[in-house]
Amino acid sequence: DAMVIQNPRYQVTQFGKPVTLSCSQTLNHNVMYWYQQKSSQAPKLLFHYYDKDFNNEADTPDNFQSRRPNTSFCFLDIRSPGLGDAAMYLCATSRDLGPANEKLFFGSGTQLSVL
Amino acid sequence: AQSVTQLDSQVPVFEEAPVELRCNYSSSVSVYLFWYVQYPNQGLQLLLKYLSGSTLVESINGFEAEFNKSQTSFHLRKPSVHISDTAEYFCAVSRSNTGKLIFGQGTTLQVKP
């Protein structure tokens, strides 16, 4: 049974048209992450939520926003997608941060194409 | 700042041959080290991890990795690979006080019959 679910698997949007990617979890984990993975590159952490506390990485563009309305759901909003934002977006969860963070659980990802 | 370098982007190997996927990291503080595997059309899954203690860690499917502090390496090995091991393998490092993972670029392991 999938524990971290990302929908849709493939998303196509137009240049400059806002798009939202969704992630849900059945693990009741405190932490939810969004990673961006471009072709042949390392997954790059964009931001994470610890419960309701939002933590943005210093080099994450302002174009990327996130919402976590409850424990189970987390959304990635791209306000004005550019061609360079085409990538696989990975959602992950962990029970906690710090030394207790031994394992991340990943969703299957959403492949975003920008036309 | 931390970084992770996976020296090989692709490693082709024949079935039942041994394999080593290389990973080096840089960090000025204590770190935890991980290998994640991504099978086609699936999310990343934890393969094995080093937190403390024995420097040799093993997974349930025959992979092992050795933490070498002097060489800042955490290479992944398997003595005999199967077709089903074909996947993308990511090395990652986590600072002990934050838990956030920094990934390497990934290595594609291609096992040929």
Side-chain angles (χ1 to χ4, degrees):
Chain A
D1 293 334
M3 295 177 286
V4 182
I5 303 164
Q6 290 188 247
N7 286 307
R9 181 75 175 88
Y10 299 94
Q11 175 74 56
V12 180
T13 191
Q14 292 179 337
F15 183 93
K17 184 176 181 180
V19 65
T20 295
L21 310 182
S22 69
C23 177
S24 63
Q25 55 136 337
T26 60
L27 298 164
N28 203 34
H29 281 174
N30 289 317
V31 193
M32 295 188 77
Y33 308 80
W34 279 103
Y35 282 84
Q36 179 192 62
Q37 184 183 11
K38 295 186 178 180
S39 181
S40 302
Q41 296 185 23
K44 177 179 176 297
L45 182 63
L46 295 174
F47 27 60
H48 74 273
Y49 271 95
Y50 183 88
D51 195 13
K52 297 180 181 179
D53 294 331
F54 178 70
N55 296 270
N56 201 29
E57 294 300 300
D59 56 354
T60 298
D62 293 339
N63 197 27
F64 291 85
Q65 304 288 321
S66 187
R67 295 170 285 134
R68 190 179 184 185
N70 53 52
T71 300
S72 300
F73 286 88
C74 193
F75 300 99
L76 170 62
D77 300 309
I78 308 177
R79 295 192 296 187
S80 181
L83 298 179
D85 296 328
M88 175 72 80
Y89 289 88
L90 302 170
C91 175
T93 72
S94 65
R95 187 182 61 220
D96 211 336
L97 280 174
N101 177 21
E102 299 180 358
K103 184 175 181 179
L104 264 62
F105 292 80
F106 282 84
S108 301
T110 293
Q111 181 69 50
L112 177 68
S113 299
V114 181
L115 304 180
Chain B
Q2 301 162 270
S3 67
V4 179
T5 302
Q6 292 182 243
L7 297 167
D8 307 297
S9 59
Q10 292 187 356
V11 174
V13 65
F14 287 105
E15 194 173 19
E16 298 183 3
V19 70
E20 178 180 81
L21 307 183
R22 296 180 291 170
C23 173
N24 288 87
Y25 69 93
S26 64
S27 177
S28 58
V29 299
S30 297
V31 295
Y32 300 151
L33 293 158
F34 305 80
W35 277 98
Y36 278 79
V37 59
Q38 185 175 28
Y39 298 104
N41 298 315
Q42 296 185 28
L44 279 75
Q45 305 170 37
L46 180 66
L47 185 61
L48 48 74
K49 61 184 183 287
Y50 170 78
L51 303 179
S52 64
S54 173
T55 57
L56 184 65
V57 291
E58 299 176 350
S59 72
I60 59 173
N61 57 354
F63 282 94
E64 65 179 29
E66 186 163 17
F67 170 56
N68 188 319
K69 188 174 182 179
S70 63
Q71 296 186 5
T72 61
S73 68
F74 191 56
H75 300 332
L76 181 69
R77 303 184 184 95
K78 188 170 184 179
S80 176
V81 294
H82 300 131
I83 296 288
S84 59
D85 293 324
T86 295
E88 186 89 9
Y89 292 80
F90 291 92
C91 182
V93 62
S94 169
R95 282 177 60 175
S96 57
N97 62 339
T98 68
K100 292 189 292 185
L101 286 181
I102 306 297
F103 285 93
Q105 302 94 319
T107 297
T108 302
L109 176 62
Q110 301 165 323
V111 182
K112 305 175 182 179

